[in-house]
Amino acid sequence: MTDWLSPGGVAEVTRGLDLAGVFANGLLGGVLARERNFDLFGYLAIGVVSGLGGGIVRDVLLQHGTPVALTDYAYIPTALAGTLLAFLFDVGKQTTRRPFNVLDAAVLSFWAVAGAQKTLDAGLGWLPAVLLGMITAVGGGAVRDLLLGGTPGIFSGNPLYASVALLVSAVLVICAELKVPTLGILVGIAVGTVLRLTALRKSWVLPGGRNWKPRSGLDRIRRHGEDS
């Protein structure tokens, strides 16, 4: 019953969840392409970028071989399958329902732990692992949003997303330092999924900029004199 916790089992579970994320984000890319009335090529381009972009950016930055999306032949067809589903059927309304939100939150968390673990395996330290875990989770969506001519959603006050990925990556790194990486994967995915769903339900967002400006002592004295 614990075979899936062995290194080989973890690798298989990791790959399966990774492909689930590729499919889900390829589907989301297709939904956005439908909203803009793209043709088939537009669907495929946006879907592939959405599903594979984060992992490719991570692997290029690591410089440890060809990106896995180009060496494992399951990745591109999986992204295309999600995109074509959105091309053939109008699934846009389904993406706002709870099952899709749960899948999206779980995929975000998994990609974060997968990116952090791969960075540690490449011999880099804890800070690069946390950052590349986050990039793995949100990079594809950010590049997709740029291609669509908009501001990436991670910058525009959406419910907690990139910050959740950072937290999940940190959980994995801490557990890896404690020599329990499998526990880090399980706890990271659980914490990230719950936090992301809670943020969606309660509309939690990070604070924006403030217009506060420091005033010199002379300015305060002048204003006090004018008021009196």
Side-chain angles (χ1 to χ4, degrees):
M1 294 179 62
T2 59
D3 289 345
W4 67 279
L5 293 177
S6 67
V10 169
E12 286 301 314
V13 171
T14 296
R15 181 173 179 272
L17 290 173
D18 200 15
L19 289 170
V22 169
F23 180 86
N25 281 275
L27 177 67
L28 181 57
V31 169
L32 296 176
R34 176 179 288 274
E35 290 177 356
R36 290 159 176 78
N37 295 317
F38 284 5
D39 62 12
L40 178 59
F41 180 79
Y43 271 79
L44 298 179
I46 296 301
V48 168
V49 167
S50 181
L52 305 178
I56 290 177
V57 170
R58 176 205 64 215
D59 291 345
V60 169
L61 291 174
L62 285 176
Q63 296 185 0
H64 276 254
T66 305
V68 66
L70 303 180
T71 58
D72 187 329
Y73 292 105
Y75 276 76
I76 293 177
T78 300
L80 293 176
T83 307
L84 288 173
L85 180 62
F87 178 78
L88 295 173
F89 304 99
D90 185 1
V91 297
K93 294 180 181 179
Q94 304 300 320
T95 60
T96 60
R97 294 187 177 181
R98 183 173 180 80
F100 190 89
N101 287 338
V102 172
L103 176 62
D104 177 65
V107 165
L108 170 74
S109 303
F110 174 74
W111 272 353
V113 298
Q117 184 62 57
K118 187 164 186 176
T119 304
L120 293 175
D121 291 342
L124 299 183
W126 68 269
L127 183 56
V130 171
L131 292 177
L132 288 180
M134 183 268 292
I135 288 173
T136 304
V138 306
V143 175
R144 176 200 65 218
D145 292 345
L146 289 173
L147 287 176
L148 293 173
T151 301
I154 58 173
F155 301 142
S156 57
N158 287 338
L160 301 181
Y161 200 74
S163 50
V164 172
L166 285 171
L167 175 62
V168 172
S169 300
V171 169
L172 183 282
V173 170
I174 292 171
C175 289
E177 288 294 321
L178 297 175
K179 309 302 182 184
V180 285
T182 300
L183 180 63
I185 292 175
L186 297 175
V187 173
I189 291 175
V191 170
T193 301
V194 171
L195 181 57
R196 170 62 178 165
L197 291 174
T198 303
L200 285 170
R201 187 173 66 252
K202 296 183 177 294
S203 298
W204 286 348
V205 297
L206 294 178
R210 295 292 182 264
N211 292 324
W212 179 83
K213 295 181 181 179
R215 294 177 181 173
S216 67
L218 183 60
D219 288 336
R220 287 194 293 270
I221 293 172
R222 184 181 299 114
R223 286 181 177 274
H224 179 72
E226 290 175 353
D227 293 339
S228 60

